Every structure is written in structure tokens, then in C-alpha cells.
Amino acid sequence: LRRDGQPVWGRLSGSIVRDPETNEPLLSIGVVEDIDERHKAQAALETAKRDLEDMVEARTAALRQRDLLLREVYHRVKNNLQIVDSLLVMQARQVSDPGAKEALLSLRSRVYALGLVHHQLMGSTNLSTFDVAPFLHELSTNVVEGGADQNIELNVEAIPLEVGLDFAIPLGLLVTELVTNALKHAFPGRPGTIDVMLR
């Protein structure tokens, strides 16, 4: 304690000086070192470290919650698009005009492309980007299987590329249109091959 009664941190060390011949203790030496500032700095550092760990933990929990909510949003959008798809199928069954029926089924491919984008984002690790190569393969395969009356072979070659929602949706719609047009106009009544390439 200081003279005013305030506590102060100190380090006390002591040693005994002995007679070299008899090894009897002659005197003791004590040293008191003022480590108050160092101790306070260390305590402040420990407090700051704990506060930082608490902040990191709170931020990690918030990010986990955000990820959970984002996955739920993607899931709900995908489910809603599946409902729209079912409504299109039901409407196409009731329409007798071949042109109108074809337009509804064409719209169905576009809805599938949108749903597939959200499905890919829902399964990605960072929830904001996904690899476009498997997406293009699944999308193109769906269009060919849904629209080919004849024997059409599909080859998809895409470089690995991380894409986000703003890039994937227009790309998915574009590829859907191109593959659909190739099915309609490139192979009238005969087999053929469609190549989808992203370089």
C-alpha cells in the first residue's frame, strides 16, 4: 500500500547472503520493484482481448444467423418458382392452341433457370457465389431433355468460374434461349449435337 492507502502492484524478491566458510546466513537482501503500470497495462490488454473475443463471437453468431436466413430465402424463392412451374404445366394442359401451349412450356424453361440459380446459391458455401460449370451442365441438360423429340447429343464445356446472382440469372436465361432455339431450328427432324461452351 502507498502511504495514502492506495494499493500498488509490486514484485518482491529476496536473497540470503551467506558466509563463504561456514555457510551461515549473514544478511538478507530484499528488492521491491514497482510493476504497477505494467500490471495495469497487462490487465487492460487481457480485458481488451476478452472484449475482442466477445465481439468476434457475436459477429460469428450474427453471420451464422444471416446465412441461415439467406438459405431460407433462397429455398423459399426456389419453392415459389416450383409452384409457378406447376401452374404453367396445369395451364398448358388446358390450352388447345399449339402456339400458346408452346409459349407456356417455353416460359417454364425460364422459370426453371431462375429456380436453379437460387438452388445453386442455397448450396454454396458463401451464399453469394457458385461455380457456373455444374449449373450450365444441369441447365442445358434440362432444356435438351424437355424439348428434344429426336436424338440430340449435348456437350457442355465450362471453365470453373464463381458467379453471383446478378451474373447467373441473365446467363441462365440466355443459355436457355440459345439451347431452346438450337433444338427448334438447328436439327429439323434429324439427330445433332449441341455444344455449350464457357471460356
Side-chain angles (χ1 to χ4, degrees), residues 5-32:
Q6 290 297 316
V8 60
W9 284 90
R11 177 180 286 124
L12 176 63
S13 57
S15 59
I16 298 173
V17 177
R18 298 180 179 275
D19 185 315
E21 295 176 0
T22 64
N23 204 26
E24 291 293 320
L26 296 176
L27 60 104
S28 62
I29 299 173
V31 177
V32 178

PDB file of all heavy atoms in Angstrom, residues 5-32:
ATOM      1  N   GLY A   5      -2.733   4.937   1.216  1.00  0.00           N
ATOM      2  CA  GLY A   5      -3.621   3.788   1.336  1.00  0.00           C
ATOM      3  C   GLY A   5      -3.997   3.133   0.021  1.00  0.00           C
ATOM      4  O   GLY A   5      -4.668   2.117   0.019  1.00  0.00           O
ATOM      5  N   GLN A   6      -3.575   3.711  -1.101  1.00  0.00           N
ATOM      6  CA  GLN A   6      -3.887   3.126  -2.404  1.00  0.00           C
ATOM      7  C   GLN A   6      -3.014   1.902  -2.657  1.00  0.00           C
ATOM      8  O   GLN A   6      -1.806   1.951  -2.405  1.00  0.00           O
ATOM      9  CB  GLN A   6      -3.643   4.158  -3.517  1.00  0.00           C
ATOM     10  CG  GLN A   6      -4.641   5.309  -3.528  1.00  0.00           C
ATOM     11  CD  GLN A   6      -6.052   4.834  -3.803  1.00  0.00           C
ATOM     12  OE1 GLN A   6      -6.272   4.018  -4.684  1.00  0.00           O
ATOM     13  NE2 GLN A   6      -7.000   5.351  -3.024  1.00  0.00           N
ATOM     14  N   PRO A   7      -3.630   0.804  -3.166  1.00  0.00           N
ATOM     15  CA  PRO A   7      -2.805  -0.383  -3.442  1.00  0.00           C
ATOM     16  C   PRO A   7      -1.953  -0.167  -4.699  1.00  0.00           C
ATOM     17  O   PRO A   7      -2.342   0.540  -5.619  1.00  0.00           O
ATOM     18  CB  PRO A   7      -3.844  -1.484  -3.673  1.00  0.00           C
ATOM     19  CG  PRO A   7      -5.078  -0.763  -4.085  1.00  0.00           C
ATOM     20  CD  PRO A   7      -5.045   0.581  -3.437  1.00  0.00           C
ATOM     21  N   VAL A   8      -0.792  -0.746  -4.709  1.00  0.00           N
ATOM     22  CA  VAL A   8       0.089  -0.684  -5.860  1.00  0.00           C
ATOM     23  C   VAL A   8       0.678  -2.071  -6.065  1.00  0.00           C
ATOM     24  O   VAL A   8       0.981  -2.782  -5.116  1.00  0.00           O
ATOM     25  CB  VAL A   8       1.202   0.376  -5.667  1.00  0.00           C
ATOM     26  CG1 VAL A   8       2.051   0.068  -4.449  1.00  0.00           C
ATOM     27  CG2 VAL A   8       2.079   0.487  -6.899  1.00  0.00           C
ATOM     28  N   TRP A   9       0.790  -2.468  -7.324  1.00  0.00           N
ATOM     29  CA  TRP A   9       1.353  -3.777  -7.625  1.00  0.00           C
ATOM     30  C   TRP A   9       2.873  -3.693  -7.620  1.00  0.00           C
ATOM     31  O   TRP A   9       3.465  -2.778  -8.179  1.00  0.00           O
ATOM     32  CB  TRP A   9       0.885  -4.274  -8.990  1.00  0.00           C
ATOM     33  CG  TRP A   9      -0.538  -4.766  -8.954  1.00  0.00           C
ATOM     34  CD1 TRP A   9      -1.655  -4.042  -9.170  1.00  0.00           C
ATOM     35  CD2 TRP A   9      -0.960  -6.081  -8.650  1.00  0.00           C
ATOM     36  NE1 TRP A   9      -2.772  -4.810  -9.020  1.00  0.00           N
ATOM     37  CE2 TRP A   9      -2.383  -6.082  -8.714  1.00  0.00           C
ATOM     38  CE3 TRP A   9      -0.308  -7.268  -8.327  1.00  0.00           C
ATOM     39  CZ2 TRP A   9      -3.141  -7.220  -8.462  1.00  0.00           C
ATOM     40  CZ3 TRP A   9      -1.068  -8.392  -8.094  1.00  0.00           C
ATOM     41  CH2 TRP A   9      -2.467  -8.363  -8.157  1.00  0.00           C
ATOM     42  N   GLY A  10       3.462  -4.658  -6.954  1.00  0.00           N
ATOM     43  CA  GLY A  10       4.926  -4.698  -6.911  1.00  0.00           C
ATOM     44  C   GLY A  10       5.407  -6.128  -6.941  1.00  0.00           C
ATOM     45  O   GLY A  10       4.644  -7.055  -6.684  1.00  0.00           O
ATOM     46  N   ARG A  11       6.674  -6.272  -7.288  1.00  0.00           N
ATOM     47  CA  ARG A  11       7.293  -7.594  -7.274  1.00  0.00           C
ATOM     48  C   ARG A  11       8.366  -7.573  -6.189  1.00  0.00           C
ATOM     49  O   ARG A  11       9.255  -6.720  -6.209  1.00  0.00           O
ATOM     50  CB  ARG A  11       7.923  -7.927  -8.629  1.00  0.00           C
ATOM     51  CG  ARG A  11       8.646  -9.279  -8.595  1.00  0.00           C
ATOM     52  CD  ARG A  11       9.286  -9.631  -9.931  1.00  0.00           C
ATOM     53  NE  ARG A  11       8.262 -10.035 -10.894  1.00  0.00           N
ATOM     54  CZ  ARG A  11       8.086  -9.461 -12.080  1.00  0.00           C
ATOM     55  NH1 ARG A  11       8.868  -8.481 -12.456  1.00  0.00           N
ATOM     56  NH2 ARG A  11       7.125  -9.864 -12.886  1.00  0.00           N
ATOM     57  N   LEU A  12       8.266  -8.521  -5.273  1.00  0.00           N
ATOM     58  CA  LEU A  12       9.230  -8.615  -4.170  1.00  0.00           C
ATOM     59  C   LEU A  12      10.125  -9.827  -4.388  1.00  0.00           C
ATOM     60  O   LEU A  12       9.628 -10.923  -4.626  1.00  0.00           O
ATOM     61  CB  LEU A  12       8.489  -8.764  -2.831  1.00  0.00           C
ATOM     62  CG  LEU A  12       9.347  -8.962  -1.587  1.00  0.00           C
ATOM     63  CD1 LEU A  12      10.241  -7.774  -1.331  1.00  0.00           C
ATOM     64  CD2 LEU A  12       8.468  -9.220  -0.377  1.00  0.00           C
ATOM     65  N   SER A  13      11.421  -9.593  -4.380  1.00  0.00           N
ATOM     66  CA  SER A  13      12.357 -10.713  -4.483  1.00  0.00           C
ATOM     67  C   SER A  13      13.383 -10.573  -3.370  1.00  0.00           C
ATOM     68  O   SER A  13      13.732  -9.460  -2.952  1.00  0.00           O
ATOM     69  CB  SER A  13      13.044 -10.718  -5.855  1.00  0.00           C
ATOM     70  OG  SER A  13      13.712  -9.493  -6.078  1.00  0.00           O
ATOM     71  N   GLY A  14      13.845 -11.676  -2.861  1.00  0.00           N
ATOM     72  CA  GLY A  14      14.813 -11.633  -1.759  1.00  0.00           C
ATOM     73  C   GLY A  14      15.856 -12.727  -1.905  1.00  0.00           C
ATOM     74  O   GLY A  14      15.621 -13.737  -2.548  1.00  0.00           O
ATOM     75  N   SER A  15      16.997 -12.489  -1.350  1.00  0.00           N
ATOM     76  CA  SER A  15      18.058 -13.499  -1.350  1.00  0.00           C
ATOM     77  C   SER A  15      18.851 -13.376  -0.047  1.00  0.00           C
ATOM     78  O   SER A  15      18.884 -12.326   0.582  1.00  0.00           O
ATOM     79  CB  SER A  15      18.969 -13.326  -2.568  1.00  0.00           C
ATOM     80  OG  SER A  15      19.547 -12.040  -2.562  1.00  0.00           O
ATOM     81  N   ILE A  16      19.484 -14.467   0.327  1.00  0.00           N
ATOM     82  CA  ILE A  16      20.270 -14.519   1.566  1.00  0.00           C
ATOM     83  C   ILE A  16      21.755 -14.551   1.200  1.00  0.00           C
ATOM     84  O   ILE A  16      22.171 -15.312   0.325  1.00  0.00           O
ATOM     85  CB  ILE A  16      19.907 -15.764   2.397  1.00  0.00           C
ATOM     86  CG1 ILE A  16      18.428 -15.692   2.808  1.00  0.00           C
ATOM     87  CG2 ILE A  16      20.814 -15.905   3.600  1.00  0.00           C
ATOM     88  CD1 ILE A  16      17.929 -16.943   3.474  1.00  0.00           C
ATOM     89  N   VAL A  17      22.513 -13.690   1.867  1.00  0.00           N
ATOM     90  CA  VAL A  17      23.978 -13.698   1.684  1.00  0.00           C
ATOM     91  C   VAL A  17      24.566 -14.547   2.819  1.00  0.00           C
ATOM     92  O   VAL A  17      24.289 -14.326   3.994  1.00  0.00           O
ATOM     93  CB  VAL A  17      24.554 -12.266   1.734  1.00  0.00           C
ATOM     94  CG1 VAL A  17      26.071 -12.303   1.616  1.00  0.00           C
ATOM     95  CG2 VAL A  17      23.927 -11.410   0.659  1.00  0.00           C
ATOM     96  N   ARG A  18      25.368 -15.571   2.436  1.00  0.00           N
ATOM     97  CA  ARG A  18      25.926 -16.493   3.438  1.00  0.00           C
ATOM     98  C   ARG A  18      27.438 -16.330   3.560  1.00  0.00           C
ATOM     99  O   ARG A  18      28.098 -15.886   2.628  1.00  0.00           O
ATOM    100  CB  ARG A  18      25.605 -17.940   3.037  1.00  0.00           C
ATOM    101  CG  ARG A  18      24.124 -18.248   2.980  1.00  0.00           C
ATOM    102  CD  ARG A  18      23.845 -19.681   2.576  1.00  0.00           C
ATOM    103  NE  ARG A  18      22.409 -19.954   2.543  1.00  0.00           N
ATOM    104  CZ  ARG A  18      21.697 -20.312   3.602  1.00  0.00           C
ATOM    105  NH1 ARG A  18      22.292 -20.460   4.780  1.00  0.00           N
ATOM    106  NH2 ARG A  18      20.410 -20.521   3.495  1.00  0.00           N
ATOM    107  N   ASP A  19      27.935 -16.699   4.728  1.00  0.00           N
ATOM    108  CA  ASP A  19      29.387 -16.701   4.972  1.00  0.00           C
ATOM    109  C   ASP A  19      29.996 -17.799   4.112  1.00  0.00           C
ATOM    110  O   ASP A  19      29.546 -18.941   4.159  1.00  0.00           O
ATOM    111  CB  ASP A  19      29.657 -16.989   6.460  1.00  0.00           C
ATOM    112  CG  ASP A  19      31.129 -16.881   6.790  1.00  0.00           C
ATOM    113  OD1 ASP A  19      31.948 -17.411   6.004  1.00  0.00           O
ATOM    114  OD2 ASP A  19      31.449 -16.254   7.808  1.00  0.00           O
ATOM    115  N   PRO A  20      31.019 -17.452   3.282  1.00  0.00           N
ATOM    116  CA  PRO A  20      31.579 -18.450   2.388  1.00  0.00           C
ATOM    117  C   PRO A  20      32.211 -19.645   3.116  1.00  0.00           C
ATOM    118  O   PRO A  20      32.260 -20.741   2.566  1.00  0.00           O
ATOM    119  CB  PRO A  20      32.630 -17.705   1.583  1.00  0.00           C
ATOM    120  CG  PRO A  20      32.634 -16.298   2.057  1.00  0.00           C
ATOM    121  CD  PRO A  20      31.631 -16.138   3.122  1.00  0.00           C
ATOM    122  N   GLU A  21      32.670 -19.441   4.342  1.00  0.00           N
ATOM    123  CA  GLU A  21      33.343 -20.542   5.053  1.00  0.00           C
ATOM    124  C   GLU A  21      32.367 -21.404   5.830  1.00  0.00           C
ATOM    125  O   GLU A  21      32.436 -22.628   5.802  1.00  0.00           O
ATOM    126  CB  GLU A  21      34.406 -19.967   5.989  1.00  0.00           C
ATOM    127  CG  GLU A  21      35.534 -19.277   5.232  1.00  0.00           C
ATOM    128  CD  GLU A  21      36.534 -18.612   6.168  1.00  0.00           C
ATOM    129  OE1 GLU A  21      36.350 -18.697   7.401  1.00  0.00           O
ATOM    130  OE2 GLU A  21      37.464 -17.993   5.652  1.00  0.00           O
ATOM    131  N   THR A  22      31.443 -20.762   6.516  1.00  0.00           N
ATOM    132  CA  THR A  22      30.535 -21.520   7.385  1.00  0.00           C
ATOM    133  C   THR A  22      29.156 -21.754   6.767  1.00  0.00           C
ATOM    134  O   THR A  22      28.368 -22.527   7.298  1.00  0.00           O
ATOM    135  CB  THR A  22      30.345 -20.787   8.719  1.00  0.00           C
ATOM    136  OG1 THR A  22      29.704 -19.527   8.447  1.00  0.00           O
ATOM    137  CG2 THR A  22      31.662 -20.578   9.412  1.00  0.00           C
ATOM    138  N   ASN A  23      28.893 -21.035   5.714  1.00  0.00           N
ATOM    139  CA  ASN A  23      27.598 -21.116   5.049  1.00  0.00           C
ATOM    140  C   ASN A  23      26.461 -20.623   5.935  1.00  0.00           C
ATOM    141  O   ASN A  23      25.310 -20.928   5.731  1.00  0.00           O
ATOM    142  CB  ASN A  23      27.314 -22.536   4.554  1.00  0.00           C
ATOM    143  CG  ASN A  23      26.311 -22.531   3.399  1.00  0.00           C
ATOM    144  OD1 ASN A  23      26.214 -21.549   2.683  1.00  0.00           O
ATOM    145  ND2 ASN A  23      25.568 -23.626   3.237  1.00  0.00           N
ATOM    146  N   GLU A  24      26.836 -19.869   6.984  1.00  0.00           N
ATOM    147  CA  GLU A  24      25.824 -19.286   7.872  1.00  0.00           C
ATOM    148  C   GLU A  24      25.269 -18.019   7.232  1.00  0.00           C
ATOM    149  O   GLU A  24      25.982 -17.274   6.569  1.00  0.00           O
ATOM    150  CB  GLU A  24      26.457 -18.929   9.230  1.00  0.00           C
ATOM    151  CG  GLU A  24      26.861 -20.128  10.056  1.00  0.00           C
ATOM    152  CD  GLU A  24      25.663 -20.938  10.523  1.00  0.00           C
ATOM    153  OE1 GLU A  24      24.640 -20.324  10.901  1.00  0.00           O
ATOM    154  OE2 GLU A  24      25.739 -22.178  10.464  1.00  0.00           O
ATOM    155  N   PRO A  25      23.994 -17.775   7.399  1.00  0.00           N
ATOM    156  CA  PRO A  25      23.427 -16.559   6.826  1.00  0.00           C
ATOM    157  C   PRO A  25      23.980 -15.318   7.512  1.00  0.00           C
ATOM    158  O   PRO A  25      24.025 -15.247   8.744  1.00  0.00           O
ATOM    159  CB  PRO A  25      21.935 -16.696   7.071  1.00  0.00           C
ATOM    160  CG  PRO A  25      21.729 -17.828   7.999  1.00  0.00           C
ATOM    161  CD  PRO A  25      22.979 -18.614   8.049  1.00  0.00           C
ATOM    162  N   LEU A  26      24.422 -14.358   6.701  1.00  0.00           N
ATOM    163  CA  LEU A  26      24.936 -13.102   7.241  1.00  0.00           C
ATOM    164  C   LEU A  26      23.875 -12.014   7.160  1.00  0.00           C
ATOM    165  O   LEU A  26      23.697 -11.259   8.112  1.00  0.00           O
ATOM    166  CB  LEU A  26      26.181 -12.656   6.467  1.00  0.00           C
ATOM    167  CG  LEU A  26      27.406 -13.584   6.554  1.00  0.00           C
ATOM    168  CD1 LEU A  26      28.524 -13.064   5.667  1.00  0.00           C
ATOM    169  CD2 LEU A  26      27.902 -13.682   8.000  1.00  0.00           C
ATOM    170  N   LEU A  27      23.241 -11.928   6.039  1.00  0.00           N
ATOM    171  CA  LEU A  27      22.197 -10.910   5.878  1.00  0.00           C
ATOM    172  C   LEU A  27      21.272 -11.315   4.727  1.00  0.00           C
ATOM    173  O   LEU A  27      21.593 -12.180   3.930  1.00  0.00           O
ATOM    174  CB  LEU A  27      22.807  -9.525   5.618  1.00  0.00           C
ATOM    175  CG  LEU A  27      23.683  -9.367   4.376  1.00  0.00           C
ATOM    176  CD1 LEU A  27      22.925  -8.628   3.294  1.00  0.00           C
ATOM    177  CD2 LEU A  27      24.953  -8.595   4.747  1.00  0.00           C
ATOM    178  N   SER A  28      20.141 -10.678   4.687  1.00  0.00           N
ATOM    179  CA  SER A  28      19.204 -10.909   3.576  1.00  0.00           C
ATOM    180  C   SER A  28      19.024  -9.591   2.832  1.00  0.00           C
ATOM    181  O   SER A  28      19.065  -8.519   3.431  1.00  0.00           O
ATOM    182  CB  SER A  28      17.863 -11.432   4.081  1.00  0.00           C
ATOM    183  OG  SER A  28      17.245 -10.481   4.923  1.00  0.00           O
ATOM    184  N   ILE A  29      18.858  -9.733   1.522  1.00  0.00           N
ATOM    185  CA  ILE A  29      18.643  -8.557   0.680  1.00  0.00           C
ATOM    186  C   ILE A  29      17.267  -8.691   0.034  1.00  0.00           C
ATOM    187  O   ILE A  29      16.939  -9.727  -0.555  1.00  0.00           O
ATOM    188  CB  ILE A  29      19.722  -8.471  -0.429  1.00  0.00           C
ATOM    189  CG1 ILE A  29      21.104  -8.357   0.199  1.00  0.00           C
ATOM    190  CG2 ILE A  29      19.447  -7.305  -1.366  1.00  0.00           C
ATOM    191  CD1 ILE A  29      22.227  -8.425  -0.805  1.00  0.00           C
ATOM    192  N   GLY A  30      16.463  -7.661   0.155  1.00  0.00           N
ATOM    193  CA  GLY A  30      15.136  -7.649  -0.452  1.00  0.00           C
ATOM    194  C   GLY A  30      15.020  -6.505  -1.448  1.00  0.00           C
ATOM    195  O   GLY A  30      15.520  -5.422  -1.186  1.00  0.00           O
ATOM    196  N   VAL A  31      14.389  -6.773  -2.558  1.00  0.00           N
ATOM    197  CA  VAL A  31      14.179  -5.749  -3.588  1.00  0.00           C
ATOM    198  C   VAL A  31      12.688  -5.684  -3.897  1.00  0.00           C
ATOM    199  O   VAL A  31      12.061  -6.703  -4.150  1.00  0.00           O
ATOM    200  CB  VAL A  31      14.967  -6.082  -4.882  1.00  0.00           C
ATOM    201  CG1 VAL A  31      14.685  -5.038  -5.961  1.00  0.00           C
ATOM    202  CG2 VAL A  31      16.450  -6.168  -4.597  1.00  0.00           C
ATOM    203  N   VAL A  32      12.128  -4.481  -3.844  1.00  0.00           N
ATOM    204  CA  VAL A  32      10.737  -4.268  -4.222  1.00  0.00           C
ATOM    205  C   VAL A  32      10.745  -3.470  -5.523  1.00  0.00           C
ATOM    206  O   VAL A  32      11.299  -2.379  -5.573  1.00  0.00           O
ATOM    207  CB  VAL A  32       9.958  -3.504  -3.133  1.00  0.00           C
ATOM    208  CG1 VAL A  32       8.526  -3.261  -3.587  1.00  0.00           C
ATOM    209  CG2 VAL A  32       9.986  -4.266  -1.821  1.00  0.00           C
TER     210      VAL A  32
END
